Amino acid sequence: MKRIYLDYAATTPMHPEVLEAMQPYFTDAFGNPSSIYSYGQEAKTAIDAARTSIAGLIGAQGEEVVFTGSGTEADNFAIKGVAYANRSRGDHIITSAIEHHAVLETCLFLEKEGFEVTCLPVDEYGSVSPEDVRKAITKKTILISIMQANNEIGTIEPISEIGEIAREAEIYFHTDAVQTLGHIPVNVNNLKADLLAVSAHKLYGPKGVGALYIRKGTRITPFIHGGEQEKRRRASTENVPGIVGFGKAAELARLEIDEEAGRLTALRNHFIDGLMTSIEDIRLNGHPTTRLPNNVSINVSYVEGESMVLNLDLEGICASTGSACSASSLEPSHVLIATGLPHELAHGSLRFTMGKWTTEDDINHVLEVLPGIIANLRAMSPLYKK
Ligand SMILES: Cc1ncc(COP(=O)(O)O)c(C=O)c1O
Protein backbone atom coordinates (compact mmCIF):
# COMPACT_ATOMS: atom_id res chain seq x y z
CA MET A 1 0.00 0.00 0.00
CA LYS A 2 1.25 3.47 -0.87
CA ARG A 3 1.74 5.54 2.28
CA ILE A 4 0.64 9.14 2.24
CA TYR A 5 2.31 11.28 4.89
CA LEU A 6 0.22 14.29 5.91
CA ASP A 7 1.75 15.18 9.27
CA TYR A 8 4.53 17.56 8.23
CA ALA A 9 3.80 19.81 11.23
CA ALA A 10 4.77 16.95 13.55
CA THR A 11 8.02 16.42 11.69
CA THR A 12 9.28 16.48 8.12
CA PRO A 13 11.26 13.80 6.35
CA MET A 14 14.83 14.92 5.86
CA HIS A 15 15.74 16.37 2.48
CA PRO A 16 18.23 14.03 0.73
CA GLU A 17 20.62 16.98 0.22
CA VAL A 18 20.51 17.65 3.96
CA LEU A 19 21.50 14.07 4.71
CA GLU A 20 24.29 14.29 2.14
CA ALA A 21 25.62 17.50 3.70
CA MET A 22 25.57 15.94 7.20
CA GLN A 23 27.23 12.63 6.39
CA PRO A 24 30.94 13.68 6.40
CA TYR A 25 30.50 15.13 9.90
CA PHE A 26 29.70 11.69 11.32
CA THR A 27 32.83 10.11 9.85
CA ASP A 28 35.73 11.96 8.15
CA ALA A 29 35.14 15.40 9.70
CA PHE A 30 34.27 14.11 13.18
CA GLY A 31 36.40 16.59 15.17
CA ASN A 32 35.31 18.50 18.24
CA PRO A 33 34.83 22.15 17.19
CA SER A 34 36.60 23.29 20.36
CA SER A 35 39.83 21.48 19.37
CA ILE A 36 42.50 23.71 17.89
CA TYR A 37 43.92 21.19 15.39
CA SER A 38 42.52 20.97 11.87
CA TYR A 39 39.85 18.31 12.52
CA GLY A 40 38.35 20.61 15.12
CA GLN A 41 38.67 23.72 13.03
CA GLU A 42 36.94 22.04 10.06
CA ALA A 43 33.97 21.32 12.29
CA LYS A 44 34.00 24.86 13.65
CA THR A 45 34.04 26.31 10.14
CA ALA A 46 31.04 24.13 9.21
CA ILE A 47 29.13 25.38 12.28
CA ASP A 48 29.88 28.99 11.39
CA ALA A 49 28.66 28.44 7.82
CA ALA A 50 25.40 26.93 9.14
CA ARG A 51 24.97 29.86 11.50
CA THR A 52 25.39 32.29 8.59
CA SER A 53 22.86 30.33 6.53
CA ILE A 54 20.19 30.39 9.27
CA ALA A 55 20.90 34.04 10.07
CA GLY A 56 20.46 34.82 6.35
CA LEU A 57 17.06 33.13 6.27
CA ILE A 58 15.74 35.23 9.19
CA GLY A 59 17.45 38.57 8.43
CA ALA A 60 19.80 38.33 11.43
CA GLN A 61 23.54 38.48 11.96
CA GLY A 62 25.38 35.19 12.52
CA GLU A 63 26.45 36.07 16.06
CA GLU A 64 22.79 36.54 17.03
CA VAL A 65 22.02 32.85 16.39
CA VAL A 66 22.64 30.33 19.21
CA PHE A 67 22.24 26.62 18.46
CA THR A 68 20.16 24.56 20.89
CA GLY A 69 19.06 20.93 21.18
CA SER A 70 15.51 21.62 19.92
CA GLY A 71 12.77 24.18 19.42
CA THR A 72 11.56 23.36 22.93
CA GLU A 73 14.96 24.24 24.35
CA ALA A 74 15.06 27.49 22.34
CA ASP A 75 11.65 28.51 23.80
CA ASN A 76 12.82 27.60 27.32
CA PHE A 77 16.05 29.52 26.87
CA ALA A 78 14.28 32.64 25.58
CA ILE A 79 11.66 32.77 28.32
CA LYS A 80 13.65 31.61 31.36
CA GLY A 81 16.75 33.44 30.17
CA VAL A 82 14.99 36.81 29.83
CA ALA A 83 12.87 36.28 32.96
CA TYR A 84 15.85 35.65 35.25
CA ALA A 85 18.12 38.25 33.65
CA ASN A 86 15.53 41.01 33.99
CA ARG A 87 13.91 40.18 37.31
CA SER A 88 15.21 43.36 38.89
CA ARG A 89 13.18 45.34 36.30
CA GLY A 90 9.93 43.40 36.70
CA ASP A 91 8.37 39.98 36.96
CA HIS A 92 5.42 40.03 34.55
CA ILE A 93 5.22 37.94 31.36
CA ILE A 94 2.50 38.05 28.70
CA THR A 95 1.71 35.05 26.53
CA SER A 96 -1.34 33.52 24.84
CA ALA A 97 -3.63 30.55 25.45
CA ILE A 98 -2.70 28.84 22.17
CA GLU A 99 1.07 28.66 22.59
CA HIS A 100 2.92 25.37 22.26
CA HIS A 101 3.54 23.50 25.53
CA ALA A 102 7.20 24.50 25.22
CA VAL A 103 6.08 28.06 25.99
CA LEU A 104 3.07 27.41 28.23
CA GLU A 105 4.81 24.92 30.52
CA THR A 106 7.83 27.22 30.80
CA CYS A 107 5.53 30.06 31.85
CA LEU A 108 3.80 27.78 34.37
CA PHE A 109 7.20 26.86 35.80
CA LEU A 110 8.07 30.55 36.14
CA GLU A 111 4.75 31.23 37.82
CA LYS A 112 5.76 28.71 40.49
CA GLU A 113 9.03 30.63 40.78
CA GLY A 114 7.11 33.78 41.67
CA PHE A 115 6.69 35.40 38.23
CA GLU A 116 3.27 36.68 37.19
CA VAL A 117 1.95 35.41 33.85
CA THR A 118 -0.93 36.84 31.82
CA CYS A 119 -2.28 34.30 29.34
CA LEU A 120 -4.28 36.18 26.69
CA PRO A 121 -7.41 34.66 25.15
CA VAL A 122 -7.84 34.27 21.39
CA ASP A 123 -10.84 34.75 19.09
CA GLU A 124 -12.72 31.94 17.32
CA TYR A 125 -9.95 31.70 14.70
CA GLY A 126 -7.18 31.48 17.27
CA SER A 127 -5.94 35.04 16.61
CA VAL A 128 -4.39 37.09 19.40
CA SER A 129 -5.53 40.71 19.46
CA PRO A 130 -2.64 43.23 19.49
CA GLU A 131 -4.92 45.54 21.45
CA ASP A 132 -5.27 42.88 24.17
CA VAL A 133 -1.48 42.71 24.32
CA ARG A 134 -1.25 46.48 24.72
CA LYS A 135 -3.85 46.46 27.51
CA ALA A 136 -2.13 43.62 29.39
CA ILE A 137 1.17 45.53 29.70
CA THR A 138 2.00 46.75 33.20
CA LYS A 139 4.99 48.59 34.65
CA LYS A 140 6.36 45.17 35.63
CA THR A 141 6.12 43.51 32.19
CA ILE A 142 9.53 42.25 30.99
CA LEU A 143 8.60 39.81 28.23
CA ILE A 144 5.87 39.14 25.66
CA SER A 145 5.84 35.70 23.99
CA ILE A 146 3.39 35.05 21.14
CA MET A 147 3.90 32.41 18.46
CA GLN A 148 4.17 33.37 14.77
CA ALA A 149 1.77 30.61 13.68
CA ASN A 150 -0.05 27.90 15.53
CA ASN A 151 1.02 24.29 15.04
CA GLU A 152 -2.47 22.81 15.38
CA ILE A 153 -4.84 25.13 13.56
CA GLY A 154 -2.34 27.00 11.35
CA THR A 155 -3.48 30.53 12.25
CA ILE A 156 -0.81 33.15 11.57
CA GLU A 157 -0.67 35.76 14.33
CA PRO A 158 -0.29 39.56 13.84
CA ILE A 159 3.31 39.40 15.00
CA SER A 160 4.70 42.64 13.55
CA GLU A 161 1.90 44.63 15.22
CA ILE A 162 2.56 42.90 18.54
CA GLY A 163 6.31 43.39 18.07
CA GLU A 164 5.73 47.10 17.48
CA ILE A 165 3.69 47.39 20.69
CA ALA A 166 6.44 45.60 22.64
CA ARG A 167 9.11 47.82 21.13
CA GLU A 168 7.23 51.03 21.94
CA ALA A 169 6.85 49.84 25.54
CA GLU A 170 10.53 48.73 25.66
CA ILE A 171 9.59 45.17 26.53
CA TYR A 172 11.40 42.13 25.12
CA PHE A 173 9.43 40.26 22.49
CA HIS A 174 9.84 36.54 21.81
CA THR A 175 8.11 34.62 19.04
CA ASP A 176 8.02 30.87 18.46
CA ALA A 177 8.67 30.47 14.73
CA VAL A 178 9.04 26.68 14.80
CA GLN A 179 6.12 26.14 12.39
CA THR A 180 6.89 29.06 10.11
CA LEU A 181 10.60 28.91 9.33
CA GLY A 182 11.04 27.73 5.76
CA HIS A 183 7.29 27.85 5.11
CA ILE A 184 6.41 31.56 5.18
CA PRO A 185 8.73 34.59 5.45
CA VAL A 186 10.39 34.93 8.87
CA ASN A 187 12.36 38.14 9.27
CA VAL A 188 13.31 39.25 12.77
CA ASN A 189 13.32 42.91 11.74
CA ASN A 190 9.91 42.88 10.05
CA LEU A 191 8.50 40.92 12.99
CA LYS A 192 10.30 43.22 15.46
CA ALA A 193 11.33 40.19 17.48
CA ASP A 194 14.12 40.27 20.05
CA LEU A 195 14.06 36.50 20.42
CA LEU A 196 12.86 33.88 17.94
CA ALA A 197 12.84 30.10 18.34
CA VAL A 198 13.25 27.64 15.44
CA SER A 199 13.73 23.90 14.97
CA ALA A 200 15.42 22.01 12.09
CA HIS A 201 13.09 19.02 11.87
CA LYS A 202 10.16 21.16 10.75
CA LEU A 203 11.92 22.27 7.56
CA TYR A 204 13.42 19.03 6.23
CA GLY A 205 16.39 19.10 8.60
CA PRO A 206 17.34 16.62 11.35
CA LYS A 207 15.67 16.17 14.73
CA GLY A 208 17.36 17.29 17.92
CA VAL A 209 18.68 20.65 16.74
CA GLY A 210 17.13 24.06 17.09
CA ALA A 211 18.27 27.65 17.40
CA LEU A 212 17.41 30.80 19.26
CA TYR A 213 17.84 34.18 17.64
CA ILE A 214 18.86 36.71 20.31
CA ARG A 215 18.94 40.34 19.18
CA LYS A 216 22.25 42.00 20.01
CA GLY A 217 22.03 43.76 23.39
CA THR A 218 19.26 41.53 24.82
CA ARG A 219 19.75 40.78 28.51
CA ILE A 220 19.53 37.01 28.82
CA THR A 221 20.93 34.44 31.24
CA PRO A 222 22.13 31.08 29.88
CA PHE A 223 20.54 28.09 31.56
CA ILE A 224 22.87 25.32 30.42
CA HIS A 225 26.15 25.80 32.22
CA GLY A 226 29.47 24.18 31.41
CA GLY A 227 32.00 24.94 28.67
CA GLU A 228 32.43 28.05 26.57
CA GLN A 229 30.58 26.91 23.46
CA GLU A 230 28.20 29.27 21.65
CA LYS A 231 30.04 32.24 23.17
CA ARG A 232 29.12 30.99 26.66
CA ARG A 233 25.43 31.22 25.89
CA ARG A 234 24.78 27.45 25.63
CA ALA A 235 27.35 25.03 26.99
CA SER A 236 27.93 21.49 25.59
CA THR A 237 29.78 20.03 22.64
CA GLU A 238 27.93 21.08 19.52
CA ASN A 239 25.83 18.62 17.50
CA VAL A 240 27.96 19.25 14.42
CA PRO A 241 26.15 17.00 11.89
CA GLY A 242 22.78 18.29 13.13
CA ILE A 243 23.85 21.92 12.89
CA VAL A 244 25.30 21.36 9.39
CA GLY A 245 22.00 19.74 8.39
CA PHE A 246 20.05 22.68 9.79
CA GLY A 247 22.25 25.07 7.79
CA LYS A 248 21.65 23.10 4.59
CA ALA A 249 17.89 22.96 5.25
CA ALA A 250 17.87 26.75 5.69
CA GLU A 251 19.83 27.21 2.44
CA LEU A 252 17.33 25.04 0.52
CA ALA A 253 14.36 26.76 2.16
CA ARG A 254 15.62 30.13 1.00
CA LEU A 255 15.63 28.93 -2.59
CA GLU A 256 12.28 27.13 -2.51
CA ILE A 257 10.05 29.02 -0.05
CA ASP A 258 8.10 31.25 -2.45
CA GLU A 259 7.27 28.61 -5.02
CA GLU A 260 6.47 25.98 -2.40
CA ALA A 261 4.23 28.32 -0.38
CA GLY A 262 2.25 29.12 -3.56
CA ARG A 263 1.91 25.45 -4.52
CA LEU A 264 0.83 24.39 -1.03
CA THR A 265 -1.67 27.23 -0.66
CA ALA A 266 -3.42 26.11 -3.86
CA LEU A 267 -3.36 22.49 -2.69
CA ARG A 268 -4.65 23.47 0.76
CA ASN A 269 -7.57 25.41 -0.73
CA HIS A 270 -8.42 22.49 -3.03
CA PHE A 271 -8.30 20.14 -0.03
CA ILE A 272 -10.52 22.37 2.15
CA ASP A 273 -13.05 22.89 -0.68
CA GLY A 274 -13.16 19.13 -1.31
CA LEU A 275 -13.74 18.34 2.37
CA MET A 276 -16.45 20.96 2.78
CA THR A 277 -18.39 19.76 -0.26
CA SER A 278 -18.12 16.02 0.40
CA ILE A 279 -18.70 15.76 4.18
CA GLU A 280 -21.58 17.16 6.25
CA ASP A 281 -21.22 18.67 9.70
CA ILE A 282 -17.56 19.59 9.56
CA ARG A 283 -15.92 22.95 10.15
CA LEU A 284 -12.50 24.41 9.51
CA ASN A 285 -10.37 25.12 12.60
CA GLY A 286 -8.27 28.25 12.51
CA HIS A 287 -8.40 31.31 10.29
CA PRO A 288 -9.91 30.77 6.82
CA THR A 289 -7.20 32.75 4.99
CA THR A 290 -4.54 33.96 7.43
CA ARG A 291 -3.23 30.42 7.92
CA LEU A 292 -0.15 28.38 7.11
CA PRO A 293 -0.06 27.25 3.47
CA ASN A 294 0.22 23.59 4.48
CA ASN A 295 -2.38 23.34 7.27
CA VAL A 296 -5.86 21.81 6.97
CA SER A 297 -7.47 21.35 10.38
CA ILE A 298 -11.12 20.41 10.73
CA ASN A 299 -13.53 19.34 13.41
CA VAL A 300 -16.00 16.60 12.66
CA SER A 301 -19.23 16.21 14.64
CA TYR A 302 -20.15 12.83 16.20
CA VAL A 303 -16.73 11.24 15.62
CA GLU A 304 -13.57 10.90 17.73
CA GLY A 305 -10.37 12.27 16.23
CA GLU A 306 -8.40 9.17 17.30
CA SER A 307 -10.83 6.85 15.46
CA MET A 308 -10.42 8.86 12.26
CA VAL A 309 -6.61 8.83 12.59
CA LEU A 310 -6.52 5.05 13.16
CA ASN A 311 -8.89 4.36 10.24
CA LEU A 312 -6.86 6.63 7.97
CA ASP A 313 -3.74 4.75 9.08
CA LEU A 314 -5.33 1.50 7.87
CA GLU A 315 -5.54 3.20 4.45
CA GLY A 316 -1.87 4.21 4.64
CA ILE A 317 -2.64 7.87 5.41
CA CYS A 318 -0.81 9.60 8.28
CA ALA A 319 -2.73 12.48 9.88
CA SER A 320 -3.08 13.67 13.45
CA THR A 321 -5.68 14.86 15.89
CA GLY A 322 -3.77 18.03 16.70
CA SER A 323 -0.26 18.51 17.95
CA ALA A 324 2.25 15.66 18.03
CA CYS A 325 2.67 16.26 21.74
CA SER A 326 -0.98 15.55 22.48
CA ALA A 327 -0.97 12.24 20.59
CA SER A 328 -0.79 10.26 23.83
CA SER A 329 -3.08 12.51 25.85
CA LEU A 330 -6.82 12.12 26.27
CA GLU A 331 -7.30 15.79 27.12
CA PRO A 332 -8.83 17.82 24.30
CA SER A 333 -6.44 20.27 22.67
CA HIS A 334 -5.95 23.45 24.70
CA VAL A 335 -5.76 25.34 21.40
CA LEU A 336 -9.19 24.23 20.18
CA ILE A 337 -10.72 24.84 23.60
CA ALA A 338 -9.21 28.36 23.56
CA THR A 339 -10.97 29.05 20.22
CA GLY A 340 -14.26 28.31 21.97
CA LEU A 341 -14.92 24.80 20.63
CA PRO A 342 -16.94 22.65 23.02
CA HIS A 343 -15.11 19.54 24.29
CA GLU A 344 -17.00 17.10 22.06
CA LEU A 345 -16.00 18.98 18.89
CA ALA A 346 -12.43 19.46 20.10
CA HIS A 347 -12.30 15.65 20.48
CA GLY A 348 -13.42 15.28 16.87
CA SER A 349 -10.57 17.25 15.36
CA LEU A 350 -8.34 16.10 12.55
CA ARG A 351 -5.21 17.83 11.27
CA PHE A 352 -3.56 17.29 7.89
CA THR A 353 -0.30 19.11 7.24
CA MET A 354 1.24 18.91 3.80
CA GLY A 355 4.77 19.41 2.55
CA LYS A 356 7.35 19.10 -0.15
CA TRP A 357 6.39 15.61 -1.26
CA THR A 358 2.61 15.99 -1.08
CA THR A 359 0.90 15.76 -4.47
CA GLU A 360 -2.57 16.58 -5.71
CA ASP A 361 -3.11 12.83 -6.22
CA ASP A 362 -2.40 12.29 -2.50
CA ILE A 363 -5.02 14.86 -1.54
CA ASN A 364 -7.55 13.47 -4.02
CA HIS A 365 -7.03 10.02 -2.52
CA VAL A 366 -7.78 11.36 0.98
CA LEU A 367 -10.86 13.09 -0.40
CA GLU A 368 -11.97 9.72 -1.80
CA VAL A 369 -11.53 7.68 1.39
CA LEU A 370 -12.29 10.10 4.24
CA PRO A 371 -16.05 10.54 3.61
CA GLY A 372 -16.50 6.74 3.82
CA ILE A 373 -14.47 6.50 7.04
CA ILE A 374 -16.51 9.25 8.66
CA ALA A 375 -19.80 7.74 7.47
CA ASN A 376 -18.85 4.34 8.96
CA LEU A 377 -17.81 5.87 12.27
CA ARG A 378 -20.96 7.97 12.44
CA ALA A 379 -23.07 4.89 11.73
CA MET A 380 -21.67 3.42 14.97
CA SER A 381 -22.24 6.61 16.96
CA PRO A 382 -25.36 6.70 19.18
CA LEU A 383 -25.29 10.51 18.87
CA TYR A 384 -25.60 10.57 15.09
CA LYS A 385 -29.27 10.49 14.13
CA LYS A 386 -29.29 11.03 10.36
C1 LIG B 1 5.05 25.74 17.61
C2 LIG B 1 6.04 24.76 18.15
N1 LIG B 1 6.92 25.15 19.07
C3 LIG B 1 7.84 24.33 19.58
C4 LIG B 1 7.91 23.01 19.16
C5 LIG B 1 8.96 22.12 19.74
O1 LIG B 1 10.00 21.90 18.83
P1 LIG B 1 10.95 20.62 19.04
O2 LIG B 1 10.18 19.43 18.54
O3 LIG B 1 12.16 20.91 18.18
O4 LIG B 1 11.29 20.53 20.46
C6 LIG B 1 7.00 22.54 18.20
C7 LIG B 1 7.00 21.12 17.78
O5 LIG B 1 6.01 20.55 17.40
C8 LIG B 1 6.04 23.45 17.67
O6 LIG B 1 5.16 23.05 16.75
Side-chain angles (χ1 to χ4, degrees):
M1 187 197 312
K2 185 188 171 211
R3 291 180 73 179
I4 299 178
Y5 183 74
L6 291 173
D7 203 13
Y8 280 79
T11 194
T12 54
M14 240 172 34
H15 195 297
E17 286 183 45
V18 169
L19 179 60
E20 200 184 321
M22 289 169 68
Q23 249 152 2
Y25 296 91
F26 288 110
T27 51
D28 301 343
F30 62 87
N32 185 323
S34 299
S35 306
I36 55 171
Y37 45 78
S38 50
Y39 270 131
Q41 290 312 295
E42 268 167 43
K44 186 171 181 316
T45 305
I47 289 179
D48 289 342
R51 203 186 304 281
T52 306
S53 166
I54 292 154
L57 184 61
I58 61 172
Q61 293 169 27
E63 68 210 69
E64 295 174 308
V65 173
V66 177
F67 288 110
T68 63
S70 62
T72 299
E73 188 192 316
D75 282 329
N76 270 261
F77 183 11
I79 299 169
K80 291 178 191 163
V82 166
Y84 287 121
N86 295 277
R87 204 166 194 177
S88 60
R89 295 183 184 181
D91 58 4
H92 180 228
I93 297 165
I94 299 172
T95 189
S96 87
I98 53 142
E99 299 299 309
H100 189 269
H101 288 295
V103 167
L104 287 180
E105 292 294 324
T106 305
C107 288
L108 273 177
F109 167 81
L110 288 174
E111 227 170 19
K112 289 188 195 125
E113 292 279 291
F115 287 87
E116 192 197 330
V117 177
T118 298
C119 196
L120 296 174
V122 292
D123 68 11
E124 62 181 306
Y125 302 125
S127 308
V128 176
S129 146
E131 217 26 60
D132 283 354
V133 175
R134 192 194 299 281
K135 285 188 203 142
I137 294 173
T138 71
K139 285 203 181 84
K140 290 181 170 178
T141 311
I142 47 173
L143 177 69
I144 297 171
S145 177
I146 308 286
M147 70 202 317
Q148 192 184 0
N150 184 267
N151 46 304
E152 294 186 36
I153 58 176
T155 300
I156 300 172
E157 301 296 339
I159 291 303
S160 23
E161 284 101 306
I162 296 171
E164 183 62 43
I165 290 168
R167 192 166 279 184
E168 275 170 18
E170 296 183 10
I171 294 166
Y172 288 125
F173 178 47
H174 166 246
T175 189
D176 176 331
V178 169
Q179 288 293 336
T180 49
L181 189 71
H183 302 283
I184 59 171
V186 175
N187 180 295
V188 291
N189 299 313
N190 296 344
L191 298 175
K192 302 184 179 73
D194 300 305
L195 302 122
L196 181 136
V198 291
S199 177
H201 75 105
K202 308 289 185 178
L203 63 147
Y204 313 106
K207 293 171 187 56
V209 54
L212 180 65
Y213 158 77
I214 306 173
R215 189 176 290 281
K216 225 188 251 170
T218 302
R219 278 167 58 141
I220 185 162
T221 307
F223 81 105
I224 295 190
H225 304 281
E228 300 198 351
Q229 293 89 355
E230 297 295 284
K231 295 208 168 80
R232 294 177 146 261
R233 291 172 296 186
R234 198 266 188 181
S236 78
T237 302
E238 299 87 338
N239 169 5
V240 183
I243 290 171
V244 167
F246 195 178
K248 186 68 188 181
E251 179 192 320
L252 293 169
R254 240 175 136 172
L255 299 174
E256 296 171 3
I257 188 167
D258 292 340
E259 200 182 324
E260 192 57 5
R263 184 184 80 86
L264 287 174
T265 302
L267 206 51
R268 177 197 76 192
N269 294 344
H270 165 67
F271 197 177
I272 294 173
D273 289 348
L275 290 169
M276 295 299 153
T277 49
S278 61
I279 309 170
E280 285 181 347
D281 284 326
I282 63 168
R283 287 146 301 269
L284 185 68
N285 296 319
H287 199 282
T289 50
T290 312
R291 67 187 299 128
L292 288 170
N294 71 337
N295 176 295
V296 175
S297 168
I298 55 170
N299 64 77
V300 180
S301 303
Y302 315 111
V303 183
E304 291 280 322
E306 283 75 16
S307 318
M308 290 186 279
V309 168
L310 293 174
N311 278 272
L312 283 166
D313 191 33
L314 295 175
E315 300 285 339
I317 298 163
C318 303
S320 93
T321 54
S323 76
C325 313
S326 61
S328 56
S329 160
L330 291 178
E331 284 297 304
S333 139
H334 68 283
V335 175
L336 295 172
I337 296 297
T339 65
L341 271 196
H343 279 229
E344 61 278 15
L345 284 183
H347 275 300
S349 78
L350 188 59
R351 180 190 73 178
F352 299 97
T353 43
M354 307 174 291
K356 202 169 177 45
W357 290 284
T358 310
T359 64
E360 194 171 339
D361 282 350
D362 293 340
I363 299 309
N364 289 339
H365 183 62
V366 178
L367 288 172
E368 256 169 51
V369 300
L370 187 59
I373 289 176
I374 291 177
N376 286 340
L377 291 171
R378 280 180 173 166
M380 290 186 279
S381 164
L383 299 172
Y384 190 65
K385 302 253 163 30
K386 292 188 185 163

